[in-house]
Amino acid sequence: MSTTARAIAIAFALVAGGSSCARTPVAPQARAETSVSVAAEAIERGRLLTSTTCAGCHATGASGDSPLPAATPLREIAHRYPLDQLEEAFAGGLVTTHPAMPGYNFRASEIDDLIAYFETLKADQ
């Protein structure tokens, strides 16, 4: 058999026997565990992001005072504003009228992580 004929035969076998390349179904429990794991990772990334960018002024956890008394704790912000509004604010570049607060521009993945973390702050109270 020529090389070309062999390549065609292999291609045909792969197309015709595609079921051998099909994905193995994932059990619903495994999917749920994966979703929980992905969500937990997003929450942790959001927590880490707030601890590095916000914690100098704001309380970033479920309790405690802000290091800068004028800076609202993030848990209060999570309760004060709908999360979709916070998502828009993060996407638009977080800018406030408070001159001491620097402007922030977050990547889309960071915004997803921040919102995941803010959801936990909202749920804590």
Side-chain angles (χ1 to χ4, degrees):
M1 181 181 285
S2 73
T3 305
T4 304
R6 189 180 327 225
I8 292 171
I10 291 171
F12 180 78
L14 289 174
V15 171
S19 63
S20 66
C21 296
R23 290 185 177 173
T24 304
V26 177
Q29 181 180 359
R31 261 187 254 136
E33 289 171 2
T34 301
S35 295
V36 169
S37 175
V38 169
E41 290 171 5
I43 291 166
E44 180 60 13
R45 285 190 305 267
R47 187 192 68 74
L48 289 172
L49 186 57
T50 62
S51 72
T52 58
T53 60
C54 310
C57 299
H58 297 272
T60 59
S63 63
D65 296 329
S66 293
L68 181 64
T72 307
L74 296 185
R75 66 184 172 278
E76 290 181 25
I77 293 170
H79 285 92
R80 191 177 297 166
Y81 300 99
L83 294 177
D84 60 335
Q85 284 184 359
L86 290 175
E87 187 173 6
E88 286 178 27
F90 292 142
L94 193 56
V95 179
T96 68
T97 57
H98 183 61
M101 184 168 166
Y104 287 100
N105 289 306
F106 296 104
R107 294 187 313 263
S109 61
E110 291 173 322
I111 294 168
D112 291 341
D113 296 341
L114 287 168
I115 295 302
Y117 181 62
F118 270 74
E119 285 175 345
T120 68
L121 293 175
K122 193 171 210 135
D124 282 343
Q125 287 186 343

